[in-house]
Amino acid sequence: MDEKKETVSQQTEYERDRRKGGLGDWKAIIIALIAGITAIICVIIFSGNLMNYKKTAGAGGLTATGSANLDFESDLIVWRGNFSTYGATPKEAYAVIKRDSEIVKDYLLENGVSEDELVFSSVDISQRYRTEYDENGNYIRDYPDGYDLYQSLSVTSVDIDKVENISRDITKLIESGVEFVSNSPEYYCTKLDEVKLELIEKATDNAKQRIDIMAAGTGSRTGELLSANLGVFQITAKNSGSGEYSYDGAFDTSSRYKTAMITVKLNYAVE
């Protein structure tokens, strides 16, 4: 009787161990499946990222620099000049420069310059000194020797031809006793922002055309735009050539007729 009980107990424990072992096997299988699926997903993601990197990496893409030039004429002129006088006393010097400023103003108004286009600066004064030496050439002292007065003016106008003609012919002023110095006119464009935007559009289109040609020549297709870089504007006198370009950009004001240039660098992914 005891042997039968012992046999039944051993069979029950065996069955329980067998069932327990079966559940453990299933858990191991499930864990293995999860690990395998995870590994496959990681490989797929890595492969996709690697392919995407090869497509979009700068070294694997296509890069081209486009350029555009545009000739234009200035529509604003600025002309500056100055004159000076001398007087033994400040009162005498001021009287002379006041007379000279009236002569200059009348001359400009007679030649078509309006008062809105004309601006006189304030008068600058400086004391003149004379150095005294002895008979042996040794310095003795500096002593006051009158006053120098300076005044400048500027004419800003959209009538370029008119101001150019005035700036070239100041004979009448000199004949009137005015010590007038004429500076070279400066030329500007009031629509420069529009010129720059047009240049950017043309240079960008030029760069894209170059990239499309390279892509077609290599049997590939362009993908997404990775980067775009704008160069500096080079505004030079017309027909002056690239010798006037500078690293920080050029901005010519000496010429009425100018040429503007810009570069645009594009980098596209390849598919």
Side-chain angles (χ1 to χ4, degrees):
M1 188 71 176
D2 292 337
E3 291 179 357
K4 288 183 180 181
K5 289 181 179 181
E6 184 177 353
T7 300
V8 171
S9 176
Q10 290 176 349
Q11 289 177 347
T12 301
E13 290 179 0
Y14 173 78
E15 184 67 22
R16 186 166 55 248
D17 292 340
R18 187 181 66 80
R19 290 177 180 177
K20 185 177 180 181
L23 290 175
D25 292 341
W26 278 108
K27 287 182 180 179
I29 292 172
I30 291 172
I31 292 173
L33 286 173
I34 292 173
I37 293 172
T38 303
I40 293 172
I41 292 174
C42 291
V43 170
I44 292 173
I45 293 174
F46 177 77
S47 299
N49 288 338
L50 181 60
M51 292 177 64
N52 185 61
Y53 172 78
K54 289 182 177 180
K55 288 181 180 181
T56 60
L62 292 176
T63 301
T65 300
S67 63
N69 297 285
L70 183 64
D71 295 330
F72 64 97
E73 180 181 359
S74 302
D75 59 4
L76 184 72
I77 186 171
V78 178
W79 172 59
R80 295 180 173 88
N82 63 83
F83 50 97
S84 61
T85 62
Y86 166 79
T89 64
K91 183 178 179 179
E92 178 183 328
Y94 270 108
V96 175
I97 203 165
K98 182 179 180 180
R99 181 208 66 185
D100 288 353
S101 65
E102 291 296 331
I103 293 174
V104 172
K105 182 178 180 179
D106 291 342
Y107 172 77
L108 295 176
L109 295 178
E110 289 172 3
N111 284 272
V113 176
S114 68
E115 294 200 21
D116 292 338
E117 297 172 326
L118 177 60
V119 176
F120 281 90
S121 71
S122 59
V123 177
D124 293 330
I125 183 171
S126 62
Q127 191 168 23
R128 183 184 295 188
Y129 290 89
R130 184 182 296 274
T131 302
E132 183 180 359
Y133 299 92
D134 63 18
E135 57 186 15
N136 295 320
N138 298 315
Y139 170 81
I140 299 177
R141 64 187 177 95
D142 290 330
Y143 60 91
D145 187 35
Y147 297 85
D148 291 306
L149 272 66
Y150 304 87
Q151 190 168 27
S152 61
L153 64 90
S154 64
V155 176
T156 303
S157 176
V158 295
D159 192 340
I160 296 180
D161 292 332
K162 174 186 69 179
V163 179
E164 279 185 338
N165 292 332
I166 295 173
S167 68
R168 292 170 183 156
D169 185 12
I170 57 171
T171 305
K172 185 177 178 179
L173 289 177
I174 296 175
E175 290 176 349
S176 300
V178 179
E179 296 183 12
F180 192 88
V181 177
S182 174
N183 297 337
S184 298
E186 301 170 11
Y187 300 89
Y188 299 91
C189 178
T190 59
K191 300 178 181 179
L192 189 58
D193 284 342
E194 297 178 14
V195 172
K196 289 181 177 181
L197 291 176
E198 183 177 348
L199 275 175
I200 293 172
E201 182 179 358
K202 290 184 177 181
T204 303
D205 183 63
N206 181 254
K208 185 60 170 62
Q209 289 181 23
R210 296 185 182 193
I211 286 179
D212 289 340
I213 292 173
M214 289 191 294
T218 56
S220 58
R221 293 186 304 168
T222 56
E224 63 178 315
L225 175 65
L226 302 179
S227 65
N229 296 297
L230 183 66
V232 295
F233 286 96
Q234 307 286 351
I235 301 175
T236 62
K238 187 177 180 180
N239 299 322
S240 62
S242 60
E244 298 296 322
Y245 294 172
S246 69
Y247 179 80
D248 297 325
F251 186 77
D252 172 79
T253 60
S254 65
S255 177
R256 177 173 178 173
Y257 300 95
K258 308 178 190 295
T259 298
M261 194 280 290
I262 190 65
T263 60
V264 172
K265 184 178 181 180
L266 301 180
N267 178 219
Y268 273 86
V270 177
E271 296 181 349

